Amino acid sequence: MPDSRRGLLYGIAAYTMWGLFPLYWPLLKPSGAVEILAHRMVWSLVAVIAVLAVRRHWSWIRELARQPRKLLLLALAAVVVSLNWGVYIYAVNSGHVVESALGYFINPLVSVLFGVVLLGERLRPWQWAAVGLGALAVVVLTVDYGRPPWVALTLAASFGTYGLLKKAANVGAAESLTVETLVLLAPALAYLLVLQAQGASTFGTAGLGHAALLVGAGVVTAIPLMSFTAAAIRVPLTVLGLLQYIAPILQFLCGVLVAHETMPPSRWAGFAIIWLALAVFSWEGLRHARLVRRAARPSPALETV
C-alpha cells in the first residue's frame, strides 16, 4: 500500500475514534467526570509507556531533560488538555453532546484567531469572512441556548491553546503524551486515593467490566493519538485539515441520533451558519494551496533555457 494511502487511513481511523468518544464515556457511569478524568490520565501513561517499550524508544528522555523550556510548555499543555478532557467528559455524560461537537466545529476558526492575536499572522479576506460567519453562529446559538455556549467555547479555546503549546514544544506525540501524563499523574493518583479512602471510588466496586472500561480510557486516548501522528507524517496538512471534520460530524450525529438531544430550528440555523463558515474556510484553504503550488512551478520558458 502506498505510504500516502496508509497515512490517509490512519487519519480517518484517528478522527473516527475521536468522533465516537460520546459512545464510550457514558459506559463509565456511575463514575463522575473527575474520576473518569483521573483514570484517563493514569491509564494513558501506562498505555503510552507500553508503546514506547515496544518501540524501545527511550533516548529522547535525556535530550528533553536538557530543554527546560520544552518541559515547561508540555507541563502547561498538560494543564490545558486536562481542562479540555474534563469539560468534554462532563458535557457528554450530562447531555451536551451536540454542544461539545460545536466546540470542535469552531476550533479551526478559534485557532485562526489565535494565530492573528498571538502570532501576528494576517488573514486573507475569505478567512475573515469565515471567522465572521463563525462569530455570527455563536451569537445565534447564544440566543437559542439563552446563554453563551460555554461548553463549546471552552473546548475550542482549550484545544486551540493546547495546539499552540504543542506546536511551540515541537515534541513527538508519544513523547509529549508521556510528559503530559507524568505531570498529571500525581494529582490524578491523589484524587483516586482520596476517593478510595472515602469509599466513594467506583473502581473495583462497580464490577470487573466497569474497571476494565476505566482502564480502557487510557487505551482509547493513546491509540487515536498514535494514529494521528502516523497520518501527520504521511499526508499533507490540507488533507488533515479536511479530515478533522470527521470527528465533530460523528459527535454531532451521536448527539442527535443516539442521545436524542433536542434540535430546535434556531439551533439548526446556528449549526448551518457554522457549517457554511467551515465550507468557506476549507474552500479558501484549498484554493490558496493550489495557487501556491502553481506559483512554485517553473514556467515552461525557464524549463527550455
Side-chain angles (χ1 to χ4, degrees), residues 140-231:
V140 171
L141 290 167
T142 296
V143 174
D144 170 72
Y145 283 111
R147 57 169 176 80
W150 292 118
V151 167
L153 294 174
T154 302
L155 289 174
S158 59
F159 200 73
T161 303
Y162 179 68
L164 279 176
L165 292 168
K166 293 291 287 289
K167 181 178 181 179
N170 193 26
V171 177
E175 296 87 340
S176 62
L177 184 59
T178 303
V179 175
E180 291 164 32
T181 47
L182 276 172
V183 170
L184 301 170
L185 181 63
L189 279 177
Y191 179 78
L192 292 176
L193 289 174
V194 168
L195 277 186
Q196 193 71 38
Q198 294 176 344
S201 173
T202 62
F203 187 75
T205 62
L208 184 60
H210 180 264
L213 286 171
L214 284 173
V215 173
V219 178
V220 300
T221 297
I223 290 178
L225 185 59
M226 299 298 104
S227 299
F228 173 78
T229 304

Side-chain angles (χ1 to χ4, degrees), residues 1 12 21 40 60 88 117 132 134 150 163 195 202 221-222 240 267 285 296 303:
M1 181 183 296
I12 293 172
F21 270 4
R40 187 178 187 183
W60 60 273
Y88 182 70
V117 175
W150 292 118
L195 277 186
T202 62
T221 297
L240 278 182
R267 198 164 303 170
E303 290 178 349

Side-chain angles (χ1 to χ4, degrees), residues 85-107:
W85 287 355
V87 171
Y88 182 70
I89 294 169
Y90 163 78
V92 169
N93 283 1
S94 61
H96 294 88
V97 178
V98 169
E99 190 176 348
S100 69
L102 173 65
Y104 293 107
F105 274 125
I106 65 177
N107 178 67

Side-chain angles (χ1 to χ4, degrees), residues 227-241:
S227 299
F228 173 78
T229 304
I233 62 177
R234 289 176 171 86
V235 298
L237 286 177
T238 51
V239 175
L240 278 182

